[in-house]
Amino acid sequence: FVKEQIKDPNFKLVENVKLGMLPKYKYLKDLKTSEIVGEGVITLTHEGLTYNGTKDNQSFNFFIPIKSLPTYGMCTDITRFYTFYNGEFVEFYPETESVEKWFLTTEEIHRYNGGK
């Protein structure tokens, strides 16, 4: 299903998320994998992954090209997933139960666009 969806050059996957990151000066407790620092929208296209939102109550945006994004990591379960941006751990907590779709879609778009 995903392979067919991404054949559309205008394909887009969009999700509202909370943004988690690692604290700079303290340890995480209670099996947490990140600390919520903002919220926004992630968008996946044939070009890559974009985050538009906030971090620490300020505007925060970034883009990762699809050739640099073969998949995501998952620390504990399918309620959230992570990647790295500029060497920093960023974790997304989607509003809906969509983590597996993000994995499959990103991997297929990466391959479709010549990623290894």
Side-chain angles (χ1 to χ4, degrees):
F1 179 71
V2 167
K3 282 182 179 181
E4 288 304 309
Q5 281 189 316
I6 67 162
K7 288 179 182 176
D8 177 354
N10 297 312
F11 174 83
K12 190 185 296 189
L13 183 59
V14 180
E15 180 74 52
N16 293 323
V17 295
K18 292 197 184 312
L19 177 69
M21 297 183 82
L22 297 175
K24 291 189 188 277
Y25 302 108
K26 64 181 181 179
Y27 293 111
L28 293 167
K29 296 180 181 180
D30 303 320
L31 302 176
K32 291 184 180 178
T33 54
S34 65
E35 189 172 79
I36 303 297
V37 296
E39 59 183 48
V41 176
I42 53 175
T43 305
L44 180 67
T45 66
H46 280 274
E47 285 73 43
L49 177 75
T50 303
Y51 172 81
N52 286 307
T54 61
K55 174 187 166 200
D56 300 327
N57 296 315
Q58 295 185 10
S59 179
F60 182 63
N61 308 294
F62 64 83
F63 174 76
I64 302 172
I66 198 64
K67 285 196 176 184
S68 300
L69 189 67
T71 192
Y72 304 103
M74 185 171 34
C75 289
T76 57
D77 58 38
I78 60 168
T79 62
R80 56 196 183 267
F81 60 98
Y82 70 86
T83 191
F84 292 87
Y85 173 70
N86 282 347
E88 282 202 68
F89 177 88
V90 291
E91 191 167 38
F92 303 113
Y93 294 75
E95 269 186 9
T96 65
E97 295 180 2
S98 61
V99 170
E100 187 59 32
K101 185 166 186 178
W102 282 89
F103 273 82
L104 293 172
T105 306
T106 301
E107 291 166 5
E108 289 302 328
I109 289 178
H110 178 77
R111 279 191 282 270
Y112 187 83
N113 287 287
K116 296 181 181 178

